[in-house]
Amino acid sequence: MTTRLDLANAIRALAMDAVQKANSGHPGMPMGMADIAEVLWNDFLQHDPKDPHWFNRDRFVVSNGHGSMLLYALLHLTGYDLPIEELKNFRQLHSKTPGHPENGLTPGVETTTGPLGQGFANAVGMAIAEELLAARFNRDGFPLIDHRTYVFVGDGCLMEGISHEAASLAGVMGLGKLVVLYDDNNISIDGEVHDWFADDTPMRFEAYGWQVVRNVNGHDPNEVQIALETARASADKPTLICCKTVIGFGAPNKQGKESSHGSPLGEAEIALAREQLKWPHAPFEIPAEIRAGWDATSKGSERSTAWKQMLDRYAAEFAAEGAELKRRIAGELPADWEQIASAAVAKLAAADKPLATRKCSQMALEAIAPQLPELIGGSADLTESNLTLWKGATASRAGNPTGNHFSWGVREFGMAAAMNGMALHGGIIPYGGTFLVFSDYARNAVRMSALMKIGSIFVFTHDSIGLGEDGPTHQAVEHVSSLRLIPNMETWRPADAFETAVAWRAAIERRNGPSVLALSRQNLPPQAHGADHEAGALRGGYVLLEPLSPPDALIIATGSEVSLAVDAAKKMHAEGRAVRVVSMPCAERFLKQDAAYRDAVLPKSIRARVSVEAGITHYWRAFVGDEGIAMGVDTFGESAPAPAVFKHFGLTVDNVVAAVQGLL
């Protein structure tokens, strides 16, 4: 008769064997958490291996992602499209079993984890998304959105600062369907953690407003089951289950030690572990009766089929809501999105007075958000500065999850990672704001959104030395360039209301990668735009101002410096000089265009080139070449009113004119 221990030992054996074959990996966590995983996946988890994207599935996140073999073993054993050959190919090039779980690569992997603590924060975002969608769509007799988010975390996840941000947020929001299982094994890479991690973790989470289940024996299935039932009974508090475990459980000489954490156990130790675990089977061999004990395909298909039938009945009774839910599940924009977006751009193009682009962003939201209900935003305690709140938006709070705007608190990292979780969950397009300089706090989550190819939208205002009196601590000089260096990121720095609307349109339409909107604090004058400018701006760069005769010099500018470039070019036009101005609101997108378009905007024949951006100049060398001039700020800023700071750094019309003339 197959026992729970037999089922759990299948995970341990696959983890030992895969790590050993790869000669790389982390066997300790999968072996230590195998019993917990067995109870969760066989008795509680709602999922369908044949339909990994079934919308009402429970989300399962392995925040301690170094233990990826636990997840791969679970996916393989329960019936996902992850054959044993992939487990044998663990950590090898182009396998579906990379060293850390990667969303979009392996069926059943909900999020890319590895940077510790971020999976935890992603899960908070997933739980938020579930609550928002349930409040929007569920009706009596139709619990369409009704699932939980389960998270595995280790000591390292809870040491990371982001865990404090995420846990505090989850507690105050009362996310009752969030369940975190803590692998309390007292070991990290450096050894026993008591010398560097002596927190009273249960008390800490209780202080955050969580339900805490203490001192669960993580190797006793009955205790784990009772703890999970306790978690499921909580309606208005997230639950932390503290599981006492032994890292590397079953390896007689390495269990309970850091030596089992991040290295293969070795053939001799694996042989001893097989003996101790009473697992006589060859490497990667799973007996038929154990496979049968794990197989979740029939039960999963029954669940998902019943749910899809309920969705069809719901759509028949609530036609508008059903159509919207199906559209949002599919990740599609409204059928009239083209008209919504074009109208927003046209409305903002009509702006006829100087405006800060952060204000233009709010105006774009006013035009778009009422017609795009999945657009859910917020700010990290800077709502009045970021201007992420629009007329008609309502606050989402604990006990009232019907709003569409969040006050995330001073939690930039937690906000960004939770946004990623919301995007991964589906049905929501998240945006979140802070000052551009504080993108550093959120940077790893911003990077992860690009790695995962998800459409989070980051609204980073106060984008340069134009911030003024708050000085160099708050003036972003290197940040725009550094964000542009992240693969699969698109960083928009618009020059006026028109370009801001275009940036919002592009960010919303981009569902396969994140976008940054870098927006000004100070007012910027509106530019004169032609009929072809929207298409050009959507390509990342376009000719904003053309001289009457063929140009012999060009100025490339972004954001607040576009007006400097235009004024300088007009001054030179009056003196008979033919200077083109290229506005480049999104350099990354421009560089993706075909060579013909790029050359039409920046002809190779024009060698006299000047770039103007109030930030680090190095990025622009690729555009202006060794013979051109990159004007910007290559030091930290200064505390003074913005006009004085711009003048101090030489970013004036006269200096731009002098730079161009010096090249002619």
Side-chain angles (χ1 to χ4, degrees), residues 2-10 12 35 38 221 249 277 279:
T2 301
T3 66
R4 283 192 179 277
L5 183 58
D6 294 328
L7 297 176
N9 284 343
R12 295 185 172 101
D35 299 299
E38 187 277 322
F249 181 92
L277 295 170
W279 186 266

Side-chain angles (χ1 to χ4, degrees), residues 36-45 60 150 152 181 228:
I36 303 167
E38 187 277 322
V39 175
L40 175 63
W41 276 62
N42 282 324
D43 291 3
F44 291 90
L45 199 71
F60 175 68
Y150 294 98
F152 279 10
L181 295 114
L228 284 166

Side-chain angles (χ1 to χ4, degrees), residues 188-426:
S188 68
I189 293 173
D190 281 358
E192 295 186 6
V193 301
H194 51 75
D195 285 335
W196 52 87
F197 184 50
D199 301 13
D200 187 333
T201 298
M203 187 175 290
R204 168 187 155 194
F205 274 76
E206 286 172 348
Y208 291 143
W210 287 55
Q211 171 182 244
V212 177
V213 184
R214 299 170 179 244
N215 296 317
V216 174
N217 181 348
H219 303 297
D220 184 333
N222 292 327
E223 288 195 25
V224 174
Q225 186 167 35
I226 292 169
L228 284 166
E229 288 170 350
T230 302
R232 288 171 63 88
S234 175
D236 58 358
K237 287 185 177 184
T239 299
L240 177 73
I241 300 175
C242 299
C243 299
K244 296 292 184 181
T245 62
V246 177
I247 191 171
F249 181 92
N253 297 307
K254 294 190 176 184
Q255 66 180 13
K257 300 176 182 177
E258 64 271 21
S259 57
S260 69
H261 169 80
S263 301
L265 297 178
E267 297 289 358
E269 185 70 6
I270 289 175
L272 292 173
R274 276 183 152 77
E275 182 178 343
Q276 179 160 311
L277 295 170
K278 297 182 173 55
W279 186 266
H281 314 293
F284 299 103
E285 179 185 322
I286 304 296
E289 63 273 16
I290 290 180
R291 285 198 176 279
W294 272 109
D295 187 9
T297 54
S298 295
K299 183 167 61 175
S301 292
E302 289 174 6
R303 282 175 169 166
S304 65
T305 298
W307 182 86
K308 291 165 189 173
Q309 292 170 347
M310 179 169 59
L311 176 59
D312 288 339
R313 295 194 304 272
Y314 174 90
E317 187 168 341
F318 305 99
E321 290 84 353
E324 181 188 339
L325 178 56
K326 288 183 177 182
R327 175 184 67 77
R328 289 168 68 167
I329 289 173
E332 298 171 353
L333 293 172
D336 59 349
W337 167 250
E338 178 71 28
Q339 293 91 328
I340 295 169
S342 295
V345 173
K347 182 177 181 179
L348 268 71
D352 59 359
K353 63 180 181 181
L355 293 166
T357 51
R358 60 175 175 151
K359 179 61 178 177
C360 300
S361 172
Q362 186 180 50
M363 293 165 59
L365 285 170
E366 301 279 2
I368 292 170
Q371 303 171 82
L372 193 65
E374 60 263 46
L375 190 63
I376 306 292
S379 174
D381 203 49
L382 288 169
T383 299
E384 294 302 315
S385 294
N386 300 148
L387 300 181
T388 54
L389 184 65
W390 48 276
K391 294 175 185 175
T394 56
S396 189
R397 298 283 189 268
N400 180 32
T402 58
N404 50 14
H405 189 275
F406 285 90
S407 293
W408 291 99
V410 188
R411 300 184 181 97
E412 296 88 355
F413 196 1
M415 173 186 73
M419 285 168 55
N420 290 344
M422 294 167 77
L424 287 162
H425 180 281

Side-chain angles (χ1 to χ4, degrees), residues 18 22 24 68-69 71-73 75-76 81-102 105-107 109 284:
S24 173
S68 57
M69 263 311 303
L71 180 53
Y72 301 147
L75 295 171
H76 169 73
D81 183 17
L82 195 67
I84 195 69
E85 289 73 24
E86 291 291 349
L87 275 63
K88 292 178 180 178
N89 210 24
F90 178 54
R91 286 186 162 226
Q92 305 309 301
L93 187 64
H94 303 314
S95 77
K96 290 185 179 180
T97 51
H100 291 83
E102 294 184 29
L105 177 65
T106 312
V109 172
F284 299 103

Side-chain angles (χ1 to χ4, degrees), residues 398-452:
N400 180 32
T402 58
N404 50 14
H405 189 275
F406 285 90
S407 293
W408 291 99
V410 188
R411 300 184 181 97
E412 296 88 355
F413 196 1
M415 173 186 73
M419 285 168 55
N420 290 344
M422 294 167 77
L424 287 162
H425 180 281
I428 288 174
I429 299 175
Y431 69 91
T434 186
F435 287 177
L436 178 59
V437 75
F438 299 142
S439 66
D440 283 342
Y441 283 137
R443 186 177 178 88
N444 201 260
V446 173
R447 178 182 185 269
M448 293 297 287
S449 68
L451 177 61
M452 289 190 279

Side-chain angles (χ1 to χ4, degrees), residues 3 46 89 110 130 256 298 403 500 514 520 552 600:
T3 66
Q46 174 178 277
N89 210 24
E110 299 287 358
E130 189 276 342
S298 295
T500 305
S520 74
D552 50 22

